[in-house]
Amino acid sequence: MYKNYFLLRRFVCESKDIINNLVINDIFTQEKNRLIISLGTEENIFLEISVDQNRPYILIKDKYSRAKKNTISLFPSLHNSIIKNIEIAHNERVIKITASSGELYFQIRGNRTNIFCESKNEYSAFLKSEENYLADSIKEINSFSYSNSRIYIFDEIASNDFNMLNKEFPFLGKEVILEVKTRLEYFDKDKVIDEINKIIHSILNDNIAAYINDDDGSIRISAGGFHIFPFTNKVEFESYVQALKDFFKSIYKQETINLYKKRIEKHLLNELDKLADKINNLRSTAEKIDRSEEYNKIANLLLINIYKLKKGMSFIELEDIYNSNQILKVKLNPELDPKGNISSYFDKSKNEKKIIEQAQFLYIRTIQKYEEVKFLFEDFKKITVLEDYKKLFNNLRIKMDSNENKKEDLKDKFKHYIIEGKYNVYVGKDSKNNDLLTTSFAKQNDLWFHAKSVPGSHVVLRIDNSKEVVPKNIIKKAASLAAYHSKAKTAGMVPVSYTFKKYVVKRKGMEPGKVALMKESVVIVEPEIPANVEYVE
């Protein structure tokens, strides 16, 4: 909820007393989508601003390690100037920092999130943008009225139900609306207005709480009196600036834990699968009836009757002197001479015994190894401390998969939907983007969709757990999105092909967006954005 307008307003109200009248020493970046403003004569205060559209934020830090290389200074016209004020636009997520030599604007607006600088009638932006867009953005944000007051009155609504509140007042945020809905039994305009004002006042003035849920590892931040966040632990702060700083420390720490946890779990489960397969393969050999004595007996019988053997014979019948002189039919290799056939049975006797003994040894050893890894996996599930995850990670000699991280970095390039709050679906925007989605982003066991026989977007349903069976209704909803993002959008019903990404082939010389399917299934659906499907800005 840190992106909520009123929490941003709370940040502005608190930070004005911290940063006003401080000197801007430097403005630089050393990480993608992140800007750092060094403040104060002793450089002990830093403003950190993220323009990542999935995690935009502004916070104050008292420490920041600037790299010696690969850092770029920006907005030089503001360097060595003094901060005069920090404010926020009325009902808009735009924070304005006024300095003695210009203004800096931090605008949160989905994929248009950016930082703009206006100084001496010249405009510039942190993220590259078209010149017309830059000028229009500056013009728009200059038209807003700004304030850093904790006083805010919400006094009128036209909506007649909770679902319309978000459309009428998007700045309220879905969490505030959900909190109102939780507190009231039914929609009454006067009561809704009164409750919204109570919530806004609480966000702007009361203690801030971090709601920590150990069950799913989530951490949420808001006013202390919220009811909508499940938690196992709740930590309260008088200062939102401090709460925000601790919140992001916790978030980054939890994300690091989750990364190590995911890698270790994947490694151990893969090891258990491999060992289980090895045990099954060894079992048949280890439990095989030992025929070494039988082969040795046949070899001796053939040796006794060597004078009867001739090259070219495929079998021979012999009296079994070891078993009441019963007649024994022995298979021979017609390409071998008598000595060769005798030697082959002696060799079989030796090898049979050796193979079975070795298999029995490996079988027992592999079972022991499986139990060791299983025991280690049970211990792993009890770990909660980052250092313990790191230690186990290093002991197991696991390597971070940089390719997967690169794939995840690509996800912002596609349209993104979430089905039923759980399943992530990514949609290509054009032919080249389709190729990027299919060949560079999609994983082998992701489900791939495309409207059959018509031009359209490639659609990928992310499968995080390859052992999970995706429900049919989820497949149909993903297929509906594929039909919706195709030339058959206006049709009544549309056939959609789907398959695992590993069966989608991009052959050399194919035009952008063109692929071949090695196997496919077809589902017929309506082209639509189905219910319980959320578009991620």
Side-chain angles (χ1 to χ4, degrees), residues 203-376:
I203 294 172
L204 292 176
N205 298 279
D206 295 346
N207 283 357
I208 296 294
Y211 298 86
I212 303 163
N213 190 351
D214 293 327
D215 295 333
D216 61 9
S218 66
I219 305 171
R220 295 178 175 88
I221 191 167
S222 185
F226 265 56
H227 301 85
I228 60 172
F229 303 123
F231 64 91
T232 54
N233 188 24
K234 182 179 173 183
V235 182
E236 294 203 6
F237 304 82
E238 290 184 9
S239 160
Y240 177 60
V241 167
Q242 183 60 44
L244 194 62
K245 186 163 55 175
D246 285 12
F247 169 73
F248 274 99
K249 279 184 184 177
S250 300
I251 284 288
Y252 289 134
K253 185 176 180 180
Q254 188 61 49
E255 286 180 346
T256 305
I257 286 175
N258 290 342
L259 181 61
Y260 277 105
K261 187 176 179 180
K262 181 180 178 182
R263 295 293 180 208
I264 294 169
E265 183 177 35
K266 182 179 179 181
H267 175 84
L268 291 176
L269 288 175
N270 283 342
E271 283 296 303
L272 288 172
D273 285 343
K274 288 177 186 176
L275 290 169
D277 289 341
K278 192 173 181 181
I279 288 169
N280 289 331
N281 292 333
L282 287 168
R283 182 185 288 116
S284 58
T285 305
E287 295 177 351
K288 185 179 178 183
I289 297 173
D290 186 354
R291 298 182 65 188
S292 58
E293 291 186 8
E294 180 186 345
Y295 292 143
N296 188 66
K297 180 182 79 172
I298 291 172
N300 283 313
L301 285 173
L302 289 174
L303 187 60
I304 293 169
N305 295 281
I306 190 171
Y307 64 92
K308 294 181 181 180
L309 304 180
K310 293 181 181 178
K311 187 175 183 179
M313 294 176 68
S314 57
F315 69 91
I316 188 172
E317 292 185 345
L318 301 172
E319 288 185 10
D320 186 356
I321 61 174
Y322 303 105
N323 190 18
S324 304
N325 291 327
Q326 291 183 7
I327 301 300
L328 182 66
K329 190 174 182 179
V330 179
K331 187 178 179 180
L332 301 173
N333 186 342
E335 295 181 1
L336 299 177
D337 61 17
K339 288 184 178 179
N341 270 301
I342 293 169
S343 295
S344 72
Y345 272 99
F346 276 124
D347 289 343
K348 276 185 179 182
S349 177
K350 290 178 184 178
N351 292 337
E352 179 84 356
K353 194 170 190 66
K354 186 177 180 180
I355 289 169
I356 290 176
E357 285 177 351
Q358 189 175 19
Q360 287 172 341
F361 171 75
L362 289 174
Y363 179 63
I364 294 170
R365 189 175 177 182
T366 306
I367 289 176
Q368 290 173 341
K369 180 66 176 173
Y370 181 88
E371 291 301 321
E372 288 173 8
V373 176
K374 189 177 176 182
F375 182 77
L376 186 61

Side-chain angles (χ1 to χ4, degrees), residues 164-175:
M164 294 301 295
L165 277 176
N166 194 42
K167 292 182 179 180
E168 188 178 353
F169 305 105
F171 64 89
L172 285 176
K174 61 183 180 181
E175 293 92 351

